[in-house]
Amino acid sequence: MRDVVVVGAGVSGLACARRLQREGLDVLVIEADARPGGVVSSERVDGYLLESGPNTILPTPESMAAIAEAGIAEEMVTAPPKAPRFVYVGGRLRRVPWVMSPAGTVRALAEPFVRRRGSETDESLASFFDRRFGRQAHERLAAPFVTGIYAGHTAELSIRGVFPRLAELEARYGSVIMGMLRGRGKGRRHRLASFKGGMGTLAAGLAAGLNVRYGAAARAIGRGWEVDVDGESLQTSAVVIATPAYGASKLLGSVDPDAAGMLESVCYAPIVVASFAVANSAMTRPLDGFGFLVPRGEGLNVLGTLFNSCLFAGRAPSGQSLLTSFAGGRLAPEVADWNDDRVWAAVCSDVEKVLSLGAGVAKPIRIKRYRRAIPQYLLGHREWRARIESRVRDLPGLFLTGNYIDGVSVPASMEHGVRTADAAIQYIRRTE
């Protein structure tokens, strides 16, 4: 009998398994795919380094410790610290933070004088930013950046689930701006980063040295605990389910239908990722910066576009620039069902318009579709999280981890995996 079986070799499951193994436990990771990382993967195509999922990581001290322990810290590369970010407003690119009118800027800066909210009930991001910073700050800054992270709708997302610190700053200081000023300079800040070989380096590094069974699908989990892997029953003292919520739901169906139903209720936003190239000679001006985001109502299909080769070297052949656009999301889920020709027509025309390029300049490379890409932290997410955690506590030896619980970023996923491992270690030590 093994100590722990981890189902899923995404970054949460891998970080969890590494922590368990470091504590001397016998750990087996089950992964249906032929490689680790889930959507965190990189691929070379015709000299371009393409990312299938996250393109960058903003490391935290905890995630950096895990990266260093995996021996891949030297492979990290950082983006230019002053790379500008742009928002497409009123038919042109505007550099952040200069995206609002003078009146909108004055209203946003008046945030310290806005009375704090008295209610303890959850609040949507749209309501929070409208109330504290004004509608223009919400529509031109907050909403595009939230779309860039969650591909979601600010009227649906929970401020306590997505940005708990902002809600806490208002509650504690009566002002987000004043709270941030008081906390300025505390703690070391890392720069936006990736790896020389792309984000896939992170997945491979975390998986190195682990006992991972690839191409093996977990079909069900039974009490006891046992994991059905393609007809083989694996006995284990504890199980960590590190799949997306809908995968965890299927595995738990026969163990706890109520918990399975709660997991199945997690909403995901669909995303289409389109990678393409533009010859530098076709640019009306040199490409510079992180990329651009598009507010709702600008009449474009793309949610935003990254300037990959501006951020990190080695992303494109000489004389070419690599860009990645994202489309779909909660506000346009039908895009995930468009055929390739329609996606390319929409993406290329949008980017050519935004960057003032000639028609046909963008060269398509690859499309990736994710019909359930990013979990949505809807209103009431914290209460949902408390309920599912309480439900799982009634199943001793079973643990959940993943980006649908406590943060969608890569560092947040890794950190949750480590915390889950610590809980599993405590359980096993108590039952020895």
Side-chain angles (χ1 to χ4, degrees):
M1 176 183 288
R2 296 187 181 277
D3 292 323
V4 186
V5 170
V6 177
V7 182
V11 293
S12 297
L14 294 172
C16 178
R18 289 190 72 88
R19 180 60 159 254
L20 292 166
Q21 182 170 281
R22 195 164 67 248
E23 291 298 314
L25 299 181
D26 179 12
V27 185
L28 173 64
V29 181
I30 301 297
E31 172 54 49
D33 207 342
R35 56 162 186 80
V39 297
V40 179
S41 66
S42 310
E43 179 185 8
R44 282 278 179 192
V45 176
D46 298 332
Y48 297 92
L49 182 56
L50 310 181
E51 302 285 7
S52 294
N55 283 254
T56 59
I57 180 174
L58 186 59
T60 59
E62 294 81 4
S63 60
M64 272 304 303
I67 289 169
E69 189 271 333
I72 53 175
E74 296 301 316
E75 294 297 309
M76 296 188 78
V77 289
T78 55
K82 297 182 179 179
R85 290 165 168 79
F86 299 93
V87 178
Y88 184 74
V89 175
R92 67 184 180 90
L93 288 177
R94 304 189 190 201
R95 184 170 177 166
V96 175
W98 315 112
V99 301
M100 293 186 290
S101 67
T105 301
V106 170
R107 169 62 184 88
L109 293 176
E111 188 271 341
F113 303 101
V114 175
R115 181 177 298 180
R116 80 180 74 192
R117 183 170 178 257
S119 174
E120 293 297 318
T121 60
D122 202 358
E123 184 179 17
S124 72
L125 266 66
S127 172
F128 180 88
F129 285 107
D130 274 348
R131 180 172 58 81
R132 295 223 58 87
F133 296 94
R135 177 163 296 181
Q136 196 174 105
H138 165 228
E139 293 178 349
R140 296 189 181 185
L141 278 173
F145 276 91
V146 168
T147 298
I149 299 170
Y150 282 84
H153 189 355
T154 55
E156 298 179 333
L157 295 170
S158 159
I159 186 66
R160 293 180 177 179
V162 175
F163 296 129
R165 182 167 178 262
L166 299 188
E168 290 164 5
L169 289 175
E170 180 189 25
R172 181 174 180 181
Y173 299 103
S175 163
V176 173
I177 290 176
M178 296 306 297
M180 285 184 167
L181 289 175
R182 292 194 181 192
R184 188 172 57 183
K186 294 181 180 179
R188 179 184 175 187
R189 297 183 180 181
H190 292 281
R191 286 167 53 182
L192 194 70
S194 181
F195 297 83
K196 296 173 186 177
M199 289 293 292
T201 301
L202 174 62
L206 292 176
L210 294 176
N211 183 6
V212 185
R213 187 183 298 183
Y214 295 106
R219 306 295 180 182
I221 290 176
R223 290 179 182 268
W225 291 96
E226 61 181 13
V227 183
D228 179 354
V229 181
D230 293 328
E232 178 188 359
S233 180
L234 301 179
Q235 303 295 317
T236 180
S237 298
V239 179
V240 176
I241 304 179
T243 67
Y246 50 87
S249 173
K250 292 179 180 178
L251 291 172
L252 283 180
S254 61
V255 173
D256 190 324
D258 289 340
M262 293 174 65
L263 290 164
E264 182 59 33
S265 72
V266 176
C267 178
Y268 282 77
I271 285 290
V272 176
V273 183
S275 300
F276 57 96
V278 176
N280 294 342
S281 59
M283 301 281 187
T284 56
R285 62 180 182 180
L287 203 62
D288 179 41
F290 185 90
F292 65 85
L293 294 165
V294 182
R296 182 185 182 190
E298 287 296 326
L300 301 185
N301 291 288
V302 297
L303 304 174
T305 298
L306 287 176
F307 302 160
N308 305 81
S309 47
C310 291
L311 294 177
F312 308 110
R315 263 46 181 178
S318 177
Q320 301 288 324
S321 289
L322 173 65
L323 298 87
T324 302
S325 287
F326 305 88
R330 286 284 288 170
L331 292 172
E334 68 280 1
V335 175
D337 295 317
W338 289 0
N339 63 37
D340 285 4
D341 288 343
R342 186 175 181 185
V343 170
W344 284 126
V347 168
C348 292
S349 64
D350 281 358
V351 174
E352 288 164 357
K353 176 181 179 180
V354 171
L355 298 181
S356 301
L357 304 174
V361 166
K363 172 190 172 184
I365 302 176
R366 189 188 68 177
I367 288 176
K368 284 280 188 179
R369 303 171 191 275
Y370 300 101
R371 286 175 172 78
R372 288 192 282 192
I374 305 172
Q376 303 294 287
Y377 289 13
L378 303 180
L379 283 165
H381 176 76
R382 287 208 314 184
E383 291 74 17
W384 175 90
R385 186 177 67 199
R387 290 196 303 273
I388 192 64
E389 289 174 346
S390 175
R391 193 78 191 186
V392 171
R393 279 195 296 271
D394 291 335
L395 300 169
L398 178 72
F399 303 89
L400 301 176
T401 187
N403 67 353
Y404 62 91
I405 299 174
D406 195 22
V408 301
S409 72
V410 171
S413 298
M414 294 170 61
E415 290 170 21
H416 194 271
V418 170
R419 293 198 301 274
T420 303
D422 289 340
I425 291 165
Q426 291 178 14
Y427 167 78
I428 291 173
R429 298 294 185 239
R430 288 197 307 267
T431 56
E432 284 181 338

